[in-house]
Amino acid sequence: QRGQPERVRLIQIAREWKTMDPDLAVLGPELVSQGLPIEAHIVGKSGPSSEHVRFHGVQRDVTQILGEADILLHMARMEPFGMPAIEAMASGAIPIVSNVGGLPWSVLDGVTGYVADFGDRRAVSRIVSELVGQIREKHSSFSRLRENALDRAKKEFNILENARRVGHYLESKAAQLSRKHRSEAYPFSFVGPVL
């Protein structure tokens, strides 16, 4: 069918990609053997490249490769905040993440991406299969998912707005301290206008 992307691009970003479960080095070939038209890209320590799995090594800037991806697979064992998922959403890639640390907070399951149990290869395969079908058919549910993800990345994870929120939070906590425990620099200055 004309207009379909040749292959759907999955990416995994992790310095130590073997800490992911499932990791794309193993899952990629499995998905291809099931007939899914995908290509897998792994940013992190190099491993065994194949026809459908390409290692890019450790990269300082993943902007370009993330911008070309359709899906981010980030099934991390631990992730305190969820920055890879947020960067994916801001780049237009749909994140599939594990239910650890800050990932379920940064990705709203079924709304801005998907959250699966760490190590649940069957669930991840099912989600990827559904997304690949939606992408190739240009289905409205994928477009809606991408729009939701972009919107959340812009509104909820705007760096200036978050710095302002943190400043207000710290100032409110400092205000609750007795005078003898306050810093001489109190009240803090980082809740003022941004230049």
Side-chain angles (χ1 to χ4, degrees):
Q1 181 177 343
R2 195 174 189 152
Q4 287 184 337
E6 225 178 278
R7 294 195 180 278
V8 174
R9 293 172 63 101
L10 277 73
I11 186 170
Q12 178 177 288
I13 301 171
R15 186 172 295 277
E16 295 289 339
W17 55 271
K18 290 183 178 181
T19 63
M20 301 285 168
D21 190 7
D23 77 77
L24 205 44
V26 173
L27 188 63
E30 286 180 12
L31 295 171
V32 169
S33 73
Q34 294 170 19
L36 285 179
I38 63 145
E39 60 182 55
H41 296 265
I42 298 175
V43 175
K45 284 192 175 174
S46 289
S49 287
S50 68
E51 181 184 353
H52 299 291
V53 179
R54 181 169 171 218
F55 282 86
H56 297 270
V58 177
Q59 303 283 318
R60 277 182 174 241
D61 185 3
V62 295
T63 308
Q64 182 178 350
I65 192 167
L66 199 50
E68 295 170 355
D70 299 297
I71 300 168
L72 169 79
L73 183 63
H74 195 73
M75 297 299 294
R77 183 181 312 276
M78 11 181 237
E79 181 70 50
F81 182 65
M83 190 57 77
I86 295 165
E87 289 174 337
M89 292 189 299
S91 300
I94 299 305
I96 302 171
V97 300
S98 55
N99 60 343
V100 301
L103 290 168
W105 173 75
S106 59
V107 176
L108 303 178
D109 189 37
V111 178
T112 63
Y114 293 95
V115 180
D117 290 336
F118 177 77
D120 191 343
R121 184 172 301 196
R122 185 175 295 165
V124 171
S125 293
R126 180 185 50 75
I127 293 166
V128 170
S129 296
E130 289 174 9
L131 283 174
V132 167
Q134 291 171 5
I135 291 167
R136 290 187 48 85
E137 297 299 321
K138 295 179 172 34
H139 199 277
S140 62
S141 57
F142 179 76
S143 299
R144 193 168 40 255
L145 197 63
R146 181 175 267 168
E147 287 169 18
N148 291 343
L150 284 165
D151 190 53
R152 180 162 169 80
K154 284 182 201 171
K155 289 181 180 172
E156 296 297 319
F157 302 108
N158 175 297
I159 193 162
L160 294 176
E161 183 57 34
N162 281 323
R164 201 174 289 116
R165 285 181 191 160
V166 169
H168 285 295
Y169 172 78
L170 292 175
E171 191 168 79
S172 72
K173 290 299 178 187
Q176 295 170 8
L177 296 174
S178 66
R179 198 75 176 143
K180 69 178 185 174
H181 294 295
R182 290 185 192 175
S183 161
E184 289 179 22
Y186 177 81
F188 302 117
S189 59
F190 42 70
V191 294
V194 177
L195 300 178

